[in-house]
Amino acid sequence: MADIYTRMGDGKRVTMTKQQILDDMQAGTADAADMAGVPILDANELDKLLDIIADKNRIVGVEPGNEVVLTYDIGQLDFTGDNGNSGNGVDMGRLEAALLHERALGADTFELAHADYSIKPVKPVISNEMQTMEEIQNEIVIPYFYGAMPNMGLYYAPDGPYSNPADLMREFKIEESMAASEAAAEHLARDIEFVGTKIIAAGADGFNFDTTASAGDADCVGTFKGVEALRKACPDAYINVGMAGESVMGIHGMIEYDGQVVAGLYPHQQCKLAEKAGANVFGAVVNTNTSRSLAWNLARSVTFVKECVKESNIPVHVNMGMGVGGIPMCETAPNDAVTRCNKAMVEIAKVDGV
Amino acid sequence: MGDTAGMAVPHFMASGMGGIRSAGDLVARMEYSKNMKVGKAKDYVAKKLGISTLDIADEYIMRELREELKIGTVTGLPGAPRGIAAKMNIEKLLDIKINSCEKFRGMLR
Amino acid sequence: MANENEIKALHDAMVAYKVPGIEAAVNAAREAGMPANDIINAMGDGMTEVGVLFERGKLFLPHVLSAAAGMKKAMEILEPEMKASGTSTQAKASVVMGTVEGDVHDIGKSICSTMLQCAGFDVHDLGRDVPTPQFINEIKGGCTFCGMSALMTTTMTVQKTVIDILKSEGIRDKVTIMIGGAPVTQAYADKIGADIYGESASETTQKAKTLISDA
């Protein structure tokens, strides 16, 4: 009998039998294993995951002693933003938002963010950001980062000086496309160093790079090179490199970082290059498929992330927001699904933080 | 952690250390400053605080300890150090340097 | 199955994405007496596999384009035979593609355009932040498929606006509406009356191809 309330990847509530959940979990872990060439979850892990998903309680949580660090991206925009960034639409100052996260929402770290939340638009307003960073550092206790997306798409026409590589590819101008990606990556790296060193000089604990490689493999290389330069300039800065997806999209296809082609790398491989670039913490990301069940998505996500944690020398904080980490793609992600994903990532994938 | 409205609460309830409610900020600092994985970071912080790793996420124990150590509390406590002052005490407690404190010291004559 | 070996060779050559290899497989299939249409269909299946491998991180965009170049070469080889037999060498359909107004995210849309082009569609990619009237004009100009991408919950509503305008102008039935983007779901597609929801570029392309072949 289908008597277990669970969710689809778009958040819709469905009922499934224990066997249906188990079948979906097995298919999900097999999909991740096939994609990334990593082991599937073993029988004990699948049993534990089944218990978590099928738990009768609305909310689940980790056992005492298993708590992990809770880090944030997008800064105050979760309060102040419009629904384009899933914000609550509550206008408030950046200091107030930071202190509310510290004192009321249990944040272990937080960050300052610009409304555009991308490296490029921050460059011309960096003095303003430095001033706000100095002010908030005087009040806040928890580690306080600056956060932005590398977002290399902004370096391509019509927003930037380089031709759009995907458009060039469609015209079979493959070499020109690759050259445009490479030039944009160098530009991004320079901007990361500029923005990063300025904000660290203003007292920021560090820099959080959110959705690295969103524009593909050259975006990934540009970010790693920028991180490398930032690490050299600021040896003690806290650097968090969070990704955009489980696989690095090969738009260029051959661009390398540290002698390795980055296209097609999975979390357990991405983390090693992030560490080489100078990251202190790696943010693993696995996207949710809205047409599949929570069981499929969560088993798949845990499979990728577990191997990443195992392979990584630096701490791994899994990204668990709307549509990532097994969590449904839904603005008001159901609490039953969020807490199940959280517990599974902590107690099965053994992440160092969320 | 992600970016959806209200997402902070279920994550905090499910597995969060609780920031300055307990010792989450201290564990985070060790992960970021020394690349320590969570288990090692918790051991380090617990040792410095002189309590067990189970206790460092216990609000009951940490509330009093944080006040005593002057490292910041969640409640508005008149006269208690916050911001740079609390972080300077954290530097001493954890034997680390904190960037904003360094910059603050650099501004003094 | 007739020409089983040739079909496999064509499929494998596409997945190996090298133009000379694809050309050789096409010539071998012709020598074996395989009809041009069957050759194209076998290559089309191979191209679908290439799209899936791209999304699974096994192949990269230049590989996809190399396979597409091989497909283009094959069409040149097969064109005289197709013309002689009266078979059409026309594109499957004209597709207008774009990221809706107010949204500047275009990587996913661009990849989808590439996949559709590789699958034999005539793609008019309008880029990103596309003014709504431009979609309408392209449809009035003859595009029978319209693909709209939105990466933000604030901009996905524009997909519905376009559909509403098409309805009010009485031309909704002239076009197949395809929607996609991170916050977009099948439920949303159903709600606003879109014809195709694509979880990925290859899924969108596959659904568009199926719709054409079923028509």
Side-chain angles (χ1 to χ4, degrees):
Chain A
M1 198 177 105
D3 60 353
I4 299 168
Y5 282 115
T6 183
R7 299 279 172 179
M8 292 302 291
D10 64 356
K12 188 180 174 187
R13 192 166 75 176
V14 289
T15 51
M16 294 172 77
T17 65
K18 211 168 218 186
Q19 189 58 48
Q20 284 171 329
I21 289 177
L22 190 59
D23 290 346
D24 273 11
M25 279 167 31
Q26 282 167 339
T29 189
D31 188 68
D34 174 59
M35 282 180 88
V38 299
I40 58 168
L41 298 178
D42 66 29
N44 287 339
E45 289 161 341
L46 286 172
D47 280 351
K48 170 111 182 158
L49 189 56
L50 180 61
D51 286 347
I52 293 171
I53 293 171
D55 194 300
K56 291 284 182 195
N57 293 295
R58 193 170 74 94
I59 303 294
V60 300
V62 302
E63 291 175 23
N66 286 350
E67 298 87 353
V68 295
V69 168
L70 195 60
T71 53
Y72 283 74
D73 58 28
I74 213 165
Q76 78 289 341
L77 293 169
D78 58 355
F79 280 157
T80 64
D82 60 31
N83 74 325
N85 32 46
S86 302
N88 297 112
V90 180
D91 201 16
M92 66 171 75
R94 297 199 274 184
L95 171 66
E96 289 84 348
L99 294 182
L100 272 172
H101 279 86
E102 171 180 278
R103 286 153 189 260
L105 293 174
D108 293 316
T109 76
F110 199 58
E111 70 179 32
L112 181 68
H114 179 263
D116 276 348
Y117 203 50
S118 299
I119 299 283
K120 192 173 168 232
V122 169
K123 208 174 168 185
V125 295
I126 189 64
S127 295
N128 188 58
E129 300 303 271
M130 291 169 74
Q131 177 181 280
T132 308
M133 176 58 73
E134 286 172 353
E135 280 179 41
I136 297 177
Q137 284 290 355
N138 283 336
E139 284 293 312
I140 202 162
V141 177
I142 59 174
Y144 191 58
F145 290 72
Y146 193 83
M149 301 185 292
N151 200 0
M152 210 172 78
L154 293 182
Y155 292 83
Y156 298 134
D159 301 306
Y162 309 106
S163 300
N164 188 314
D167 290 345
L168 289 169
M169 283 276 179
R170 239 184 357 267
E171 293 163 18
F172 294 100
K173 294 175 182 170
I174 294 176
E175 282 178 14
E176 281 177 51
S177 167
M178 288 175 166
S181 296
E182 288 161 19
E186 293 299 327
H187 199 150
L188 170 63
R190 285 197 302 276
D191 284 357
I192 287 173
E193 184 183 9
F194 179 89
V195 169
T197 51
K198 295 271 184 193
I199 207 73
I200 301 294
D205 284 289
F207 208 106
N208 172 36
F209 296 91
D210 187 22
T211 64
T212 297
S214 64
D217 46 354
D219 180 320
C220 187
V221 170
T223 305
F224 285 163
K225 285 186 174 174
V227 168
E228 195 178 289
L230 181 58
R231 170 57 68 219
K232 201 172 168 191
C234 309
D236 299 321
Y238 302 172
I239 299 179
N240 193 94
V241 173
M243 302 301 290
E246 61 267 33
S247 169
V248 177
M249 243 190 324
I251 303 294
H252 180 291
M254 289 192 280
I255 193 165
E256 296 179 356
Y257 179 73
D258 196 43
Q260 188 168 356
V261 171
V262 301
L265 292 186
Y266 283 91
H268 69 288
Q269 299 156 323
Q270 297 161 6
C271 63
K272 291 183 184 299
L273 291 187
E275 184 193 353
K276 271 191 180 163
N280 301 107
V281 170
F282 176 70
V285 174
V286 182
N287 293 306
T288 295
N289 183 320
T290 59
S291 309
R292 302 282 196 154
S293 67
L294 174 74
W296 187 89
N297 279 301
L298 188 51
R300 182 173 177 274
S301 297
V302 169
T303 305
F304 283 122
V305 176
K306 184 193 146 210
E307 189 66 12
C308 175
V309 173
K310 192 179 138 203
E311 289 288 324
S312 181
N313 297 312
I314 56 175
V316 175
H317 288 191
V318 63
N319 195 310
M320 302 200 72
M322 168 180 166
V324 286
I327 292 176
M329 171 59 78
C330 173
E331 280 191 323
T332 46
N335 286 343
D336 50 285
V338 174
T339 57
R340 276 160 178 75
C341 294
N342 184 304
K343 182 175 168 69
M345 282 295 178
V346 174
E347 295 189 337
I348 302 174
K350 310 281 187 197
V351 295
D352 302 280
V354 171
Chain B
M1 205 205 63
D3 47 5
T4 315
M7 183 71 86
V9 178
H11 280 304
F12 166 37
M13 299 299 283
S15 73
M17 289 205 68
I20 62 172
R21 286 169 65 90
S22 64
D25 60 322
L26 309 181
V27 175
R29 287 204 182 276
M30 297 322 298
E31 285 196 6
Y32 280 103
S33 64
K34 305 288 180 196
N35 294 5
M36 288 180 181
K37 293 238 180 182
V38 67
K40 201 173 164 193
K42 281 179 165 182
D43 286 345
Y44 183 91
V45 171
K47 201 173 162 193
K48 291 288 184 185
L49 289 169
I51 57 177
S52 74
T53 52
L54 190 66
D55 290 344
I56 62 170
D58 186 323
E59 294 94 331
Y60 177 81
I61 290 167
M62 285 305 302
R63 172 66 182 82
E64 204 167 321
L65 198 50
R66 287 196 79 108
E67 191 178 332
E68 192 184 302
L69 294 169
K70 300 182 188 303
I71 56 173
T73 57
V74 287
T75 50
L77 198 61
R82 55 198 288 173
I84 296 288
K87 285 186 278 193
M88 283 182 168
N89 289 332
I90 290 171
E91 282 185 313
K92 285 182 197 157
L93 173 74
L94 296 180
D95 193 22
I96 57 169
K97 291 290 177 203
I98 294 176
N99 190 33
S100 55
C101 300
E102 294 274 80
K103 296 289 179 285
F104 186 86
R105 279 189 287 268
M107 284 191 274
L108 300 176
R109 291 185 68 186
Chain C
M1 191 198 296
N3 299 112
E4 196 171 343
N5 292 339
E6 287 75 22
I7 289 170
K8 186 177 181 310
L10 285 163
H11 177 277
D12 292 351
M14 287 302 286
V15 172
Y17 63 80
K18 304 282 187 209
V19 178
I22 295 168
E23 200 177 340
V26 170
N27 287 330
R30 290 185 73 211
E31 280 164 24
M34 195 170 166
N37 253 343
D38 292 353
I39 293 175
I40 291 167
N41 287 339
M43 293 179 74
D45 290 344
M47 198 67 218
T48 301
E49 175 78 9
V50 168
V52 170
L53 289 169
F54 170 74
E55 279 164 6
R56 294 179 78 78
K58 310 290 183 193
L59 290 181
F60 311 134
L61 201 54
H63 305 146
V64 177
L65 267 299
S66 181
M71 187 103 184
K72 203 174 164 190
K73 184 80 192 167
M75 295 303 281
E76 286 168 19
I77 296 169
L78 297 170
E79 198 173 2
E81 183 189 332
M82 293 178 80
K83 274 191 177 154
S85 65
T87 314
S88 172
T89 56
Q90 297 284 306
K92 283 191 169 74
S94 284
V95 187
V96 54
M97 292 287 289
T99 304
V100 297
E101 189 154 23
D103 200 323
V104 297
H105 301 88
D106 76 343
I107 290 285
K109 178 272 303 165
S110 293
I111 291 166
C112 194
S113 291
T114 304
M115 298 280 182
L116 285 162
Q117 183 181 301
C118 294
F121 288 85
D122 173 28
V123 178
H124 302 204
D125 190 327
L126 304 181
R128 57 189 166 188
D129 190 19
V130 175
T132 296
Q134 282 192 25
F135 284 109
I136 310 295
N137 290 343
E138 288 283 341
I139 293 162
K140 285 180 177 169
C143 283
T144 52
F145 280 72
C146 171
M148 292 180 283
S149 175
L151 260 287
M152 300 193 295
T153 45
T154 38
T155 56
M156 62 197 273
T157 53
V158 180
Q159 296 170 332
K160 180 177 183 300
T161 305
V162 171
I163 292 174
D164 289 346
I165 293 172
L166 292 171
K167 279 181 189 165
S168 70
E169 297 205 9
I171 52 174
R172 172 66 186 89
D173 296 341
K174 293 188 183 305
V175 63
T176 299
I177 299 286
M178 310 184 289
I179 62 168
V184 179
T185 63
Q186 182 64 57
Y188 183 69
D190 295 342
K191 188 176 154 189
I192 68 169
D195 302 298
I196 290 176
Y197 160 68
E199 181 92 31
S200 63
S202 66
E203 187 182 298
T204 309
T205 306
Q206 190 56 44
K207 284 182 176 175
K209 277 171 63 185
T210 304
L211 210 138
I212 290 269
S213 61
D214 289 350

